[in-house]
Amino acid sequence: MAKISPGWQDSAVLGTVFDQLSDALVLYDSGHVITGINASAERLFGMSAEEIVGKDCRELFHCTTCEQGCGIQNGLASQNTSNGTVRLHLPNGLERLVVIRTAPIGSEGMVATIKDVSAEMEPQRREIVAESPVMRDLMNFIRRVAVSEATTILIEGENGVGKDLIAKTLHYQSSRQAEPFIAINCAAIPETLLESELFGYEKGAFTDARAQKKGIFELADKGTLFLDEIGEIPLMLQAKLLRVLEDQCFRRLGGLKDIQLDLRVIAATNKNLREAVREGAFRQDLYYRLNVIHVHIPPLRERPEDIGPMAQFFVEHYNRKFKRQMQGVSPEALRMLLDYDWPGNVRELRNAMERAMILEDSSYITPASLPMTLGAPAQAAASTASASESNAAPPPEEALSLEENERRLLISALERTHGNQTQAARLLRITRDTLRYKNKKFDLR
């Protein structure tokens, strides 16, 4: 509890103290009427105190209804300490992202501190190039989901398609954007450590637990937790994760009380979780709980309209990074980019453009500066097609089961590609995950 000596309890002294605060300070009564502000509030709103005091906050911020999550409204409704993240529409026409924290002043009204976090959020925003119809539809869907109250979202897509960027978009376009965004790769942490990383632990919970540690769930409270490679979580932990998602609460290792959460969980995988459920490698109840909102990101080869704009985006990005003045991509190089099927998706395209930006001497990216593999697929496809025709096996004289035929096709594809699973999957026109599943099914190595 703050304490001020009686001789210092003077309006001029308090006014000077308030003006030293870097955050905007606003006093308002139970009718939303602003009764006082400090100098930081004047700077934020671009108006003098005389113009602001006495106005209804909804009139000042140009909002006909209170935005969901607004700390001012939440504080009045609950008469308790509250906080929230909203977009303020300022009188000067600008829009600012702010965190509002409120506390009651007796029964008369509330005091609110307003922190402008627009500049802090800007570096976190990563641009997503969406020129193709399928990606435009996807981004419209993402924006609708972001502003919703959905607490579980499942993102599926091949490696390199940008699942992490979609997760960040879901966070930074939501009302949680000023709260933590914590990402964890479930495949990168050993199974023995994953539980303590997620749930935290109490002092003495195990031999080396010399002090209490907060887990990732607790650190991400009020914000978003991104669980990448969700299919790698062991079955034992899947049951505990399900409880967190269902009840929005958890218990630290060695703890005796439940801790409540307000958390959005975004899970991502490059696996086919339906097949994992059928194989018993992933819990069915957890799959359905995660799959409330399902997002599938198409691979780059299925949206060639994005390749050109994306290449130009990377040229501009690496111009800034490498302090270069490249103009763009030559028509010949663009044709190479469009002819390639990008098994590594956007990540592979980004790496190819980075290499070209380092090696290119002219003002435009030319084929010579692109990786050699980009010119190979068309030739490889042609030679594979001719080999397939010449080496096509005649129909078997005696009947074979569907599974035996499938097994022979897999063996043949792997032999022709010298065991390269990516090329074999492309030859069979199936995904790499499906090929890996069938290899396991038929015990092929």
Side-chain angles (χ1 to χ4, degrees), residues 99-219:
V99 176
I100 301 178
R101 293 183 172 86
T102 58
I105 304 175
S107 59
E108 299 297 319
M110 308 288 289
V111 56
T113 57
I114 304 177
K115 181 178 177 62
D116 184 359
V117 295
S118 305
E120 295 174 25
M121 294 300 107
E122 201 58 39
Q124 305 291 343
R125 299 178 191 275
R126 297 278 300 278
E127 190 169 346
I128 295 177
V129 177
E131 293 294 329
S132 61
V134 64
M135 282 303 290
R136 286 185 177 180
D137 290 343
L138 177 63
M139 293 312 298
N140 287 334
F141 177 69
I142 291 298
R143 281 187 279 270
R144 288 170 54 199
V145 172
V147 298
S148 72
E149 292 301 309
T151 55
T152 52
I153 300 165
L154 178 63
I155 303 174
E156 290 187 328
E158 296 179 7
N159 281 329
V161 292
K163 296 185 287 292
D164 58 333
L165 284 184
I166 294 294
K168 288 179 180 178
T169 301
L170 285 164
H171 175 72
Y172 289 112
Q173 292 193 9
S174 74
S175 60
R176 299 174 184 267
Q177 56 192 301
E179 303 298 339
F181 175 86
I182 297 181
I184 179 173
N185 189 317
C186 301
I189 300 177
E191 289 185 17
T192 52
L193 297 178
L194 188 56
E195 184 176 11
S196 62
E197 286 295 315
L198 288 172
F199 292 88
Y201 50 80
E202 298 287 356
K203 180 179 179 180
F206 47 85
T207 305
D208 292 328
R210 297 185 177 89
Q212 183 193 82
K213 178 187 174 182
K214 290 184 177 181
I216 289 172
F217 284 130
E218 199 168 351
L219 295 173

